[in-house]
Amino acid sequence: MMLPKEILQKYWGHSSFRNSQEEIIEAVLTNKDVVALLPTGAGKSICYQIPAMMKKGVCLVISPLISLMKDQIEQLEQKGIKALTIKSNARIDEIVSLFDNLKYGSCKFLYLSPERLQSEFILQKIKEIPINLIAVDEAHCISEWGHDFRPEYRNLKHIIEQIDNVPIIGLTATATEKVQEDILKTLGISDATTFKASFNRPNLFYEVRPKTKDVEKDIIRFVKQRMGKSGIIYCLSRKKVEEISQVLQVNNIKAVPYHAGLDAKTRVKHQDMFLMEDCDVVVATIAFGMGIDKPDVRFVIH
């Protein structure tokens, strides 16, 4: 069996771990429940992906966003690691075929939303495959004190209890003390080992600017001073997302909108355009961005 560092080198091209990754992986490999609090960009996914690859069976990853699941599955497949999810429009026969692949094939990861796990049919199929680890990504969504509260996350303990006794790892970059307590309680892992890395990011800075009478002009000026650099502009409403993206386009800025009111195909297309450098700016509601792995985002405007 390959060692964690050998897997890291072979698939990720790194010779050493960082930000408590090695200690977290070792804890998971000894079947301990773990909560990992690591800043964005610190490599949380590796903390469950490497130990899952070392264990027989399939890792069940519970993730809140289709875009996040898609991004992580694509990254794994680019490394030659097979991962699957159930598409929103999947037929019963397609789901049955997918689980047969998980049972008898070489797939190592199954990504599902918490809503998908509410299905008795899917839960029954999960019980038929050898689960080696349960990873709860963006675990702050569990908490009613978290900024992205999802009621379905509150039911995860009941669901997890129905799956074989396997270790659980909760991962997040966003958790106050109260939210941490809620994660432990809601997942039923009060004895979990908690790892917390420094959230100090010397390469980032915040700036607050006074609002002028013409915010759109200010945004256009700001973006044009950084032409060719990737950025995200967050708005509070879908309507404002559409307005700002159109204003940017009219001013020769490669921008696309992203919000829950767009159909799934369009959202995927716009996300891919951003990741593949076909546009410079995504104008979005908070439906976009969680877990998106893009190394060259140079500004975020709220």
Side-chain angles (χ1 to χ4, degrees), residues 266-300:
T266 302
R267 291 200 304 273
V268 169
K269 178 186 174 185
H270 288 181
Q271 178 181 316
D272 286 346
M273 287 175 68
F274 187 58
L275 293 173
M276 301 303 293
E277 313 292 338
D278 291 328
C279 76
D280 295 326
V281 179
V282 171
V283 186
T285 60
I286 57 169
F288 180 82
M290 186 164 24
I292 297 300
D293 190 359
K294 184 170 168 62
D296 61 344
V297 175
R298 292 293 173 260
F299 62 88
V300 179

Side-chain angles (χ1 to χ4, degrees), residues 5 9 22 47-48 64 89 99 104 106 118 122-123 135-137 182 197 205 208 212 236 239 245 266 289 292-293:
K5 276 189 180 178
Q9 179 69 57
E22 192 165 19
C47 296
Y48 69 81
N89 59 349
F99 276 98
Y104 305 113
S106 58
Q118 309 303 309
I122 288 175
L123 185 56
V136 183
D137 206 3
D182 211 30
F205 76 93
V208 179
T212 66
L236 289 174
K239 181 182 177 184
S245 61
T266 302
I292 297 300
D293 190 359

Side-chain angles (χ1 to χ4, degrees), residues 44-45 48-49 59-73 84-86 109-118 134-142 148 150 152-153 156 169-171 290-292:
K44 291 187 292 295
S45 300
Y48 69 81
Q49 288 169 345
C59 175
L60 171 61
V61 186
I62 302 168
S63 184
L65 292 176
I66 292 171
S67 58
L68 176 53
M69 289 188 273
K70 178 180 180 292
D71 191 46
Q72 293 194 353
I73 289 170
L84 295 171
T85 188
I86 300 173
F109 297 92
L110 172 62
Y111 282 79
L112 292 178
S113 68
E115 288 81 6
R116 273 290 189 187
L117 287 168
Q118 309 303 309
I134 297 174
V136 183
D137 206 3
E138 308 295 346
H140 59 272
C141 296
I142 283 168
D148 246 335
R150 296 274 285 269
E152 292 79 11
Y153 267 82
L156 285 181
I169 177 169
L171 306 111
M290 186 164 24
I292 297 300

